[in-house]
Amino acid sequence: DVLRSVLPIANRPECHQCHGAAKKLNGILILDVSLTPVQNQLRADLSRVGATTTALSLVLLAGVGVLLRHLILLRLTRLRRTALAIAGGAISERAEVAGDDVIAGLATDFNSMSDATSSLIAEVRDREQQMSGVLNSLDDGLIVLDRDFRVVAANRSIAKRLCSYPEAMRGRNCRDTVGHLLPCHDDDTCPTARCLSTGTLQRAVYQIPGS
């Protein structure tokens, strides 16, 4: 590729002595300049611009990645660890609240929920202790069952008769726990099963041999 310049040479008065005055032009000057150096320089400049742009893009992506990890991922990871700790029983754990963004608001709401949950758990434990004290103050044996016939609570009196402890009886099936003591082995002879099926109060008196 060349850059061509065409320059007409006018027949000026100072040229009339040699060329005469009849001609308007004495000739045309054509100058061709190669564009190869310009094109090479342009390619080199484009390569440098491309390399610089690529480097800046990589630096920008790395910076965004670092900011994303620091501002979002690490904070979400810490929030998840706190949630797992609370789920594992460490109800005093709280999430770190830093800043005023969405994650900070989420951490604040999470802490509020944790405080409310801790209060409810403490209240339930207090009531459980109160109920346990009331049950253990009775001389008669007492067992509380759920709909699956599992022991929810038992007092010390019945546990003593079964040569066990209230804590050891909790969660076990009623028939597995007292089946050897009472003859209620099926739904027909079990007052609890009849109570659940009929919705009415059931009473049963059993005579235990040797008692």
Side-chain angles (χ1 to χ4, degrees):
D1 295 332
V2 296
L3 176 63
R4 171 167 291 179
S5 300
V6 179
L7 178 64
I9 301 176
N11 188 11
R12 298 178 181 178
E14 57 268 22
C15 301
H16 291 174
Q17 183 177 357
C18 297
H19 297 279
K23 297 180 179 180
K24 293 183 178 181
L25 297 175
N26 292 333
I28 297 177
L29 176 62
I30 298 176
L31 178 63
D32 290 340
V33 178
S34 175
L35 294 180
T36 300
V38 177
Q39 292 174 337
N40 292 337
Q41 183 65 36
L42 180 61
R43 293 191 187 98
D45 292 341
L46 289 177
S47 298
R48 285 194 293 270
V49 170
T52 303
T53 303
T54 302
L56 290 177
S57 299
L58 293 176
V59 171
L60 180 61
L61 289 176
V64 171
V66 171
L67 289 176
L68 181 64
R69 178 177 176 79
H70 179 71
L71 297 178
I72 299 179
L73 297 181
L74 289 180
R75 296 169 66 189
L76 289 178
T77 300
R78 288 195 293 266
L79 184 61
R80 179 176 179 271
R81 289 175 182 172
T82 303
L84 292 177
I86 293 176
I91 59 176
S92 61
E93 291 289 331
R94 293 295 181 269
E96 179 184 355
V97 179
D100 56 354
D101 53 7
V102 176
I103 298 180
L106 179 62
T108 301
D109 295 339
F110 180 83
N111 290 338
S112 300
M113 181 184 67
S114 300
D115 292 338
T117 303
S118 299
S119 299
L120 289 176
I121 292 176
E123 183 178 353
V124 169
R125 288 178 177 175
D126 290 340
R127 293 186 178 181
E128 183 178 1
Q129 291 179 355
Q130 293 175 1
M131 184 181 71
S132 177
V134 172
L135 293 179
N136 291 326
S137 66
L138 300 176
D139 294 332
D140 295 332
L142 180 64
I143 297 179
V144 181
L145 305 177
D146 62 11
R147 289 185 173 273
D148 295 325
F149 300 96
R150 295 192 179 276
V151 178
V152 176
N155 64 356
R156 294 175 184 173
S157 179
I158 190 65
K160 184 177 180 180
R161 297 178 187 180
L162 297 173
C163 298
S164 182
Y165 296 95
E167 294 79 8
M169 297 174 58
R170 189 176 303 166
R172 297 181 58 189
N173 186 274
C174 174
R175 292 171 182 173
D176 295 336
T177 304
V178 300
H180 64 285
L181 185 63
L182 300 177
C184 51
H185 301 293
D186 51 39
D187 291 349
D188 293 334
T189 59
C190 178
T192 302
R194 294 198 304 269
C195 177
L196 292 176
S197 62
T198 62
T200 59
L201 177 65
Q202 298 293 318
R203 298 177 183 273
V205 179
Y206 301 101
Q207 180 67 34
I208 302 175
S211 61

